[in-house]
Amino acid sequence: MKKFLDLGFQPLANSYLDIKNLNKREKKFNLSVGYNSKNNLVSILNTVPKEQMFNEDYPYKSSESKTMKKQFKNLAAYIKKKFDPKTVLEIGSNDGAFIKNFSKKNVIGVEPCKNLANITIRKGYKIYPNYWDTKLAKKISKINKVDIIYSANTLSHIKNYSEIFNAINITLNENGILILEDPSLLECIKKTAYDQFYCEHIYVFSTIALHQILKKFNLEIFYIQNLDTHGGSNRYFIKKKSNSKFKISKNVDKNLKKEIKFGLNKFSTYKKFSKKVESSRIKLKKIFDNLLKNNKKIIGYGATAKSCTVLNYCKIDKKYFKFFYDTTSYKIGKYLPGTKILIKKYKRLKSSEVDYVYLGAWNFKKEIFKKEYNFIKNGGKFITHVPSPKII
Ligand code: TYD
């Protein structure tokens, strides 16, 4: 593993601070990112134990976003039509935004964050409040094997992917389909979206790397959908090698070639990326310094894990911000890790109250711009760092 990026000492991105521990020393770790030329994997170099991140305090809820809810609904309809599964299992079922599109008797959820698991358990779903592993896979497959396994934005969180794929192989029917959805490394590098790297994102996968890993587990990608979600993601449709029911689409090769052409299999590409990250930091800091000098009222929109990485890396702290707006009930009244900026309950933006709004949730830009049409019409401005720092 060869290091190409150092994002400094960072707090745990989703560990929002209560007022009572605002002055306590935060746990920090060095956020560095490396590339492994043997398997083409890009991963963070120092990892945090999963129990410190995915526990009963986990703040992220899939159902908070209209975009995500719509995506899950459409995918569920597609799965039913195309694969007509008897049983569907979701790894990382969060607060149920995906599984709620299926009948309770046909769907199983696995969710280790107890606060989230309990939301769906209370509604009567079959949920295992555990981490996904071979032990759980054996337990589930004794009752029934499953036809579809879906997992979105979870594989990138798990260090030991061998355990994941072994467990999947135990539970998945011979003709079953595994659908994985995670941020795309190609989009991350293209957009200089270095904020895809934080404690929870141990890996940001390229198709090249995933394709190679899956081979070891006798699994293969047969179709890929390129999505807009989370700043650019890929949805991989995967089958067991022995399953000849589905032909491998030409678009798999197309995606692989696109990534190779871009250079995702070369260390020099990542070095170039890290230079761009450095100049992105300088540019963003300059924008904030200028606005501060001119006494502009700045707030943040979407207190994301991503914004935690950016603001800590660029050393843009509470001195620049009045506060952040966020819709997630758990985050309201708390403070962003590291920079200690207060998070307030979301209110529609008014240009009479705010001058500039930093897009913490830049991945939901479309949804947000639609919602804040009046603010924009009345001259309100946004700041973003993707694909390069600018005021819009
Ligand atoms: P997310 O996209 O999951 O980013 P990360 O993984 O980096 O944390 O989080 C989106 C956050 O933005 C979430 O806290 C909810 C918030 N949000 C709003 O406050 N308003 C909105 O209109 C949208 C779309 C999101």
Side-chain angles (χ1 to χ4, degrees):
M1 188 69 71
K2 231 167 127 185
K3 176 171 155 174
F4 63 84
L5 181 65
D6 191 336
L7 295 169
F9 276 86
Q10 293 270 355
L12 305 196
N14 271 319
S15 296
Y16 297 86
L17 303 164
D18 273 327
I19 190 146
K20 64 175 192 296
N21 46 27
L22 205 54
N23 293 320
K24 273 198 201 143
R25 235 177 103 138
E26 286 174 88
K27 217 174 266 160
K28 293 205 173 165
F29 78 110
N30 175 245
L31 181 56
S32 289
V33 191
Y35 168 69
N36 182 335
S37 57
K38 279 205 189 104
N39 57 13
N40 289 298
L41 262 178
V42 164
S43 67
I44 62 171
L45 301 179
N46 303 305
T47 54
V48 174
K50 62 181 187 297
E51 293 79 8
Q52 285 183 27
M53 301 187 283
F54 308 110
N55 50 41
E56 62 285 353
D57 286 330
Y58 195 65
Y60 178 74
K61 280 193 197 159
S62 316
S63 299
E64 298 274 347
S65 152
K66 266 193 198 158
T67 314
M68 292 313 288
K69 277 205 298 205
K70 204 169 124 198
Q71 283 260 357
F72 288 140
K73 195 175 163 199
N74 291 344
L75 174 64
Y78 178 81
I79 289 174
K80 284 180 206 169
K81 195 167 157 219
K82 182 116 181 141
F83 305 112
D84 189 25
K86 254 205 231 106
T87 317
V88 175
L89 181 141
E90 186 182 19
I91 305 169
S93 52
N94 199 277
D95 65 349
F98 172 71
I99 58 170
K100 76 165 200 205
N101 296 296
F102 294 89
S103 131
K104 283 177 188 153
K105 59 178 199 315
N106 295 339
V107 72
I108 304 166
V110 177
E111 178 49 65
C113 303
K114 304 272 187 307
N115 56 333
L116 298 171
N118 283 336
I119 296 174
T120 39
I121 290 170
R122 274 199 300 268
K123 287 183 185 158
Y125 286 95
K126 177 76 197 151
I127 306 292
Y128 292 91
N130 304 87
Y131 293 104
W132 175 249
D133 57 18
T134 47
K135 195 171 149 213
L136 180 62
K138 278 178 194 155
K139 190 170 153 186
I140 293 174
S141 64
K142 258 187 207 154
I143 307 165
N144 53 356
K145 290 227 174 188
V146 304
D147 304 314
I148 295 280
I149 297 183
Y150 176 58
S151 190
N153 302 303
T154 304
L155 181 65
S156 54
H157 292 179
I158 304 169
K159 192 171 179 177
N160 185 356
Y161 57 79
S162 295
E163 180 75 17
I164 299 306
F165 290 120
N166 282 328
I168 285 170
N169 268 333
I170 291 170
T171 323
L172 192 63
N173 259 328
E174 282 319 297
N175 282 332
I177 305 294
L178 164 66
I179 306 170
L180 291 178
E181 193 174 313
D182 275 286
S184 145
L185 183 65
L186 181 65
E187 292 304 316
C188 159
I189 304 285
K190 266 190 184 169
K191 296 188 170 102
T192 320
Y194 59 91
D195 48 355
Q196 284 294 6
F197 299 109
Y198 60 99
C199 54
E200 289 176 16
H201 281 181
I202 296 172
Y203 305 104
V204 177
F205 292 101
S206 61
T207 309
I208 310 174
L210 194 62
H211 176 79
Q212 209 168 330
I213 290 170
L214 288 168
K215 267 190 200 159
K216 280 201 229 157
F217 301 92
N218 288 318
L219 293 165
E220 58 190 5
I221 305 169
F222 67 93
Y223 183 58
I224 302 173
Q225 288 174 343
N226 305 121
L227 311 171
D228 281 342
T229 38
H230 289 292
S233 299
N234 283 335
R235 182 183 284 153
Y236 302 97
F237 292 79
I238 298 158
K239 63 176 188 68
K240 292 190 174 178
K241 239 191 187 135
S242 52
N243 174 358
S244 52
K245 217 172 128 193
F246 298 95
K247 266 186 44 197
I248 297 180
S249 157
K250 280 191 187 126
N251 93 342
V252 177
D253 208 37
K254 258 194 202 156
N255 274 274
L256 287 168
K257 284 199 174 121
K258 193 167 64 175
E259 292 186 357
I260 290 168
K261 195 168 169 215
F262 191 84
L264 290 190
N265 55 343
K266 282 191 211 129
F267 185 70
S268 57
T269 305
Y270 301 101
K271 274 313 280 182
K272 242 195 270 165
F273 166 73
S274 83
K275 290 213 173 80
K276 275 177 135 181
V277 173
E278 173 67 19
S279 57
S280 171
R281 180 179 66 80
I282 296 166
K283 256 195 193 162
L284 188 68
K285 188 81 195 282
K286 232 184 220 163
I287 291 176
F288 272 89
D289 280 335
N290 259 328
L291 296 178
L292 186 70
K293 212 169 67 197
N294 291 305
N295 286 321
K296 297 294 181 197
K297 262 187 246 154
I298 311 173
I299 69 158
Y301 198 114
T304 55
K306 290 192 265 299
S307 57
C308 175
T309 302
V310 173
L311 300 178
N312 280 297
Y313 171 61
C314 299
K315 301 202 165 45
I316 298 170
D317 61 8
K318 60 175 191 255
K319 158 173 113 199
Y320 295 83
F321 280 91
K322 298 280 174 231
F323 53 81
F324 256 77
Y325 269 149
D326 201 287
T327 50
T328 314
S329 48
Y330 175 87
K331 295 182 186 176
I332 294 161
K334 294 201 167 73
Y335 296 79
L336 266 183
T339 52
K340 301 184 177 169
I341 303 163
L342 175 65
I343 304 163
K344 285 195 184 181
K345 186 179 169 149
Y346 165 74
K347 258 186 13 199
R348 202 150 285 227
L349 297 177
K350 282 198 184 135
S351 53
S352 54
E353 293 169 0
V354 194
D355 300 317
Y356 289 83
V357 180
Y358 171 66
L359 260 182
W362 60 265
N363 45 318
F364 290 112
K365 188 168 134 191
K366 257 195 216 153
E367 183 176 333
I368 293 170
F369 278 20
K370 208 164 145 192
K371 207 155 70 180
E372 307 303 339
Y373 175 76
N374 280 328
F375 172 71
I376 298 170
K377 205 176 73 186
N378 292 324
K381 299 271 185 242
F382 283 90
I383 310 165
T384 188
H385 65 282
V386 176
S388 68
K390 60 174 176 258
I391 290 171
I392 31 179

